[in-house]
Amino acid sequence: MASTLVKPQWSFGGVDCRRHAGLKPSPSAKLSLSQAGSGRRSLVVRASENRNDRSIKKLGMTDAECEAAVVAGNVPEAPPVPPKPAAPTGTPVVPSLPLSRRPRRNRRSPALRSAFQETNLSPANFVYPLFIHEGEEDTPIGAMPGCYRLGWRHGLVEEVAKARDVGVNSIVLFPKVPDALKSPTGVEAYNDNGLVPRTIRLLKDKYPDLVIYTDVALDPYSSDGHDGIVREDGVIMNDETVHQLCKQAVSQARAGADVVSPSDMMDGRVGAIRAALDAEGFHHVSIMSYTAKYASSFYGPFREALDSNPRFGDKKTYQMNPANYREALIETREDESEGADILLVKPGLPYLDIIRLLRDNSPLPVAAYQVSGEYSMIKAGGVLKMIDEEKVMMESLMCLRRAGADIILTYFALQAARCLCGEKR
């Protein structure tokens, strides 16, 4: 009887099962069915030259014949028990520890580690922050290698297309506003024909299913560089700022924004924005509140990107004290009661405890913002060969997910998604 070769199928529906099980692809196994010249059939398993490639001869026997052969003592050959691997010379001989539980058992192979992995990372978890400006050319941001102020009509559209190709379909827009349009009250923030509304309309026309988040705050539009209106004595005016933010959120919703994201940290702004959106018929537009935004030193590169450094002072009267933990619960309860749909923690990696705090105390989705300083440190460490940039990038994102973040705003979104999809950087 002629031999028949059967190549096993490892790919189903375009998914390589070996890869997802933590297995490395091996040469194709071959199964053969043959008959000895004497007419007798014998069941033999032999190791091929490639130890991963076992050839097994099918005999065409029925189940009953196979069982009868074994009962009669004609047990088929199989590979021998592999020898115990030798320890290096000098290893002490010791009795086994009396352990009933050895956690390493569940970590001993890629397949087992994959099976028991508790946290997963997907391009769908990423929101891609993108800087835009009025120019046609893309301008590199010195403090953020690989990031640009993108021309809103050209570079931005191309970058969004790249992200969508690897499964990132959510972005958040940050505008670089011309100085001539900045004012003490930030009126440009709610110009329906301003940079952000124009950009939203362009993107929605080209990619209707793209999820667009917007930033709601006055600092890009303020001549003072603060998130709110500044009184002559330097006090940030809360309620008057909230009035402006409501106009800004409605303008963005009118242009087609899916999620408005107040990052200003004014008291009561979530409830006021919710009421303003609903009053204009935008019940479907979500609010991602910057619930726990700390007065952090990790924001420096971002402010360079938007040229939005405060003209004086700092933001400590409205952003949270990095030393505070319980205060995040106060902000969480307020934002929940006012109608927030998503709660955000910023920065990300230095505030894993706050992410976990919100995750354990709220049923709402939690977002983490891996901010510009975190991004730039990883990039710098990679350039200096002090760390493996790609591995540290992926580990940092996994840690944010493990801490409890459902989504992550990260400048690594495109690069990380390409890694997850198996593409080269």
Side-chain angles (χ1 to χ4, degrees):
M1 180 183 295
S3 295
T4 302
L5 300 181
V6 181
K7 184 175 181 180
Q9 183 178 356
W10 291 98
S11 179
F12 297 90
V15 177
D16 189 332
C17 298
R18 294 166 297 187
R19 178 181 174 194
H20 286 267
L23 303 177
K24 295 181 178 179
S26 60
S28 299
K30 296 180 180 178
L31 308 180
S32 63
L33 178 64
S34 62
Q35 183 174 8
S38 63
R40 294 185 59 194
R41 300 176 186 271
S42 60
L43 184 60
V44 181
V45 179
R46 296 190 180 89
S48 65
E49 291 183 359
N50 185 331
R51 62 178 298 182
N52 293 323
D53 186 0
R54 311 293 189 187
S55 296
I56 302 174
K57 296 183 178 180
K58 281 190 175 181
L59 307 178
M61 298 169 64
T62 65
D63 290 352
E65 290 173 331
C66 290
E67 292 175 357
V70 171
V71 171
N74 185 19
V75 180
E77 296 180 13
V81 176
K84 183 177 180 180
T89 302
T91 300
V93 178
V94 298
S96 296
L97 295 173
L99 303 178
S100 61
R101 188 176 304 281
R102 291 180 180 259
R104 288 184 59 189
R105 285 194 283 259
N106 289 343
R107 302 195 291 262
R108 70 181 185 273
S109 73
L112 285 172
R113 291 194 296 273
S114 178
F116 303 132
Q117 182 167 314
E118 300 174 23
T119 306
N120 293 291
L121 193 63
S122 160
N125 300 128
F126 302 148
V127 178
Y128 194 8
L130 295 171
F131 302 109
I132 55 175
H133 69 152
E134 294 285 6
E136 293 188 348
E137 301 300 323
D138 301 337
T139 305
I141 299 168
M144 300 178 68
C147 291
Y148 298 81
R149 292 180 190 141
L150 300 167
W152 70 280
R153 286 176 295 182
H154 305 290
L156 172 66
V157 175
E158 294 170 4
E159 193 71 6
V160 169
K162 293 175 187 175
R164 284 166 60 89
D165 283 346
V166 287
V168 178
N169 197 44
S170 298
I171 65 164
V172 57
L173 297 171
F174 294 102
K176 162 66 173 69
V177 177
D179 288 344
L181 295 178
K182 295 181 180 180
S183 66
T185 55
V187 295
E188 180 65 16
Y190 49 87
N191 176 3
D192 284 343
N193 204 35
L195 178 57
V196 170
R198 271 184 278 128
T199 301
I200 295 170
R201 296 198 301 266
L202 175 70
L203 291 175
K204 282 294 186 179
D205 181 67
K206 189 166 184 62
Y207 308 115
D209 63 332
L210 179 69
V211 179
I212 299 179
Y213 292 70
T214 56
D215 180 49
V216 178
L218 296 187
D219 51 326
Y221 308 90
S222 169
S223 52
D224 295 311
H226 277 281
D227 292 46
I229 299 172
V230 184
R231 208 167 59 188
E232 64 178 358
D233 59 355
V235 171
I236 309 302
M237 304 176 73
N238 191 93
D239 298 9
E240 294 81 0
T241 296
V242 170
H243 179 79
Q244 299 292 76
L245 299 178
C246 290
K247 292 182 180 180
Q248 182 183 17
V250 168
S251 175
Q252 294 170 349
R254 188 179 295 120
D258 298 286
V259 185
V260 296
S261 311
S263 63
D264 56 288
M265 292 298 288
M266 298 296 121
D267 294 337
R269 89 276 203 211
V270 172
I273 290 172
R274 182 73 272 161
L277 290 172
D278 291 352
E280 294 292 331
F282 298 117
H283 305 87
H284 60 284
V285 175
S286 301
I287 297 176
M288 179 174 72
S289 173
Y290 283 56
T291 298
K293 181 179 180 180
Y294 285 84
S296 171
S297 298
F298 282 89
Y299 304 149
F302 176 95
R303 290 173 183 167
E304 176 188 321
L306 295 187
D307 189 21
S308 62
N309 276 302
R311 188 169 56 83
F312 62 89
D314 53 42
K315 301 189 176 186
K316 293 181 179 179
T317 65
Y318 47 101
Q319 294 179 358
M320 287 175 58
N321 184 344
N324 288 2
Y325 175 82
R326 298 188 305 273
E327 186 181 4
L329 285 178
I330 298 174
E331 295 286 355
T332 298
R333 288 164 185 159
E334 290 300 315
D335 287 353
E336 283 181 331
S337 67
E338 292 177 23
D341 300 286
I342 307 164
L343 308 176
L344 182 140
V345 176
K346 180 182 181 181
L349 206 61
Y351 293 82
L352 294 180
D353 58 331
I354 306 301
I355 297 171
R356 173 49 56 183
L357 179 68
L358 267 61
R359 172 73 293 136
D360 289 344
N361 287 276
S362 176
L364 293 178
V366 174
Y369 199 144
Q370 186 182 49
V371 299
S372 57
E374 299 173 66
Y375 170 87
S376 295
M377 287 194 299
I378 294 173
K379 282 289 184 181
V383 168
L384 295 173
K385 307 298 182 185
M386 299 172 71
I387 58 173
D388 184 313
E389 177 188 317
E390 188 173 291
K391 289 182 179 178
V392 172
M393 168 187 71
M394 298 306 291
E395 181 179 344
S396 67
L397 294 169
M398 185 65 78
C399 288
L400 292 167
R401 286 277 293 144
R402 187 197 65 228
D406 298 288
I407 58 173
I408 304 168
L409 283 67
T410 175
Y411 304 99
F412 283 121
L414 178 57
Q415 183 179 343
R418 284 174 169 170
C419 290
L420 291 170
C421 292
E423 292 187 17
K424 294 291 184 181
R425 266 196 300 150

